[in-house]
Amino acid sequence: MLAFLLLFSACSLELSEEESTERLVKIAGKIPSASVSSISLSKGVSDGSVGYYADLELTWSGKEGRFSTEKALDKYSREYAAEVTKRVPTVAMLSLSWVVPFHAEDEPAMVYSYQRRKSGLTQIGLQDRFTDGTFGADAFIDPDAMVTVPVRRVSDSKKSDKKEAARKEASPPLETAAVQPEGSTPEVNGGVASPEEGAADENADTGE
């Protein structure tokens, strides 16, 4: 154990905070569809090891469902921790906060915590927001959280007015019969009456 601490302390002196940060960002650049949103390092002691606490917030642009997202982030986190173990020996504690905009833009979907031990950076914690069932694109709808929207009902008088207006629009106007002015020549079968027909009508009127 003492030899390990001495070796780790010696390695810690090899990399400055700036160099450690550069390596951490470079390693993260190999993760598909991922980018580093923020990174911070602070000195501390963990399990007898002196080194940096590295806290990274990563954004993953993948658009997968819950289970595919969990599987992908778990794989990338393990690979990242293994790479940091070898290439950044100054890191004693590591935290990876994954933000997945497809599920939530302002809240980490999963947070992995690692601690350096003899075997390297070992996972010691996991916060998975998907487990409560109300997070992300696959979240179920909570009936208790549903909001009732009031519906404005139309009064009966307004309904009647609308029906009457619709009926008038649907019914064509009736044709009115033309009224012949007094003393005009009547039309017979679409034409003008003959003189004989006119005379017959006049004799009928006088009784002759």
Side-chain angles (χ1 to χ4, degrees), residues 178 180 185-194 197:
Q180 296 292 339
T185 304
E187 293 185 358
V188 178
N189 297 325
V192 179
S194 63
E197 293 173 342

Side-chain angles (χ1 to χ4, degrees), residues 119-192:
S119 58
L121 288 170
T122 305
Q123 182 178 329
I124 59 173
L126 169 61
Q127 298 177 25
D128 187 348
R129 283 287 284 109
F130 290 110
T131 56
D132 62 12
T134 61
F135 176 85
D138 297 336
F140 65 82
I141 299 176
D142 185 0
D144 296 332
M146 296 179 68
V147 178
T148 302
V149 179
V151 178
R152 182 181 179 184
R153 297 187 179 278
V154 181
S155 62
D156 294 337
S157 59
K158 291 184 177 180
K159 287 182 180 180
S160 300
D161 294 342
K162 289 183 178 180
K163 288 182 179 179
E164 182 64 20
R167 188 187 65 77
K168 289 182 179 180
E169 291 180 0
S171 302
L174 298 175
E175 295 183 358
T176 57
V179 178
Q180 296 292 339
E182 185 178 354
S184 62
T185 304
E187 293 185 358
V188 178
N189 297 325
V192 179

Side-chain angles (χ1 to χ4, degrees), residues 32-107:
S33 304
S35 61
V36 178
S37 303
S38 65
I39 180 172
S40 63
L41 270 69
S42 59
K43 291 183 179 180
V45 179
S46 173
D47 196 22
S49 300
V50 180
Y52 291 114
Y53 289 1
D55 189 358
L56 284 82
E57 182 177 292
L58 301 157
T59 299
W60 190 60
S61 60
K63 296 182 179 181
E64 304 289 344
R66 168 193 169 176
F67 297 107
S68 296
T69 299
E70 287 177 318
K71 185 177 180 180
L73 298 186
D74 184 71
K75 174 178 179 291
Y76 297 147
S77 297
R78 284 187 285 105
E79 293 177 349
Y80 185 82
E83 193 70 12
V84 171
T85 296
K86 296 184 294 183
R87 298 188 56 194
V88 194
T90 50
V91 172
M93 294 282 289
L94 175 65
S95 175
L96 302 176
S97 299
W98 291 95
V99 175
V100 185
F102 179 70
H103 290 283
E105 295 184 355
D106 56 355
E107 184 180 357

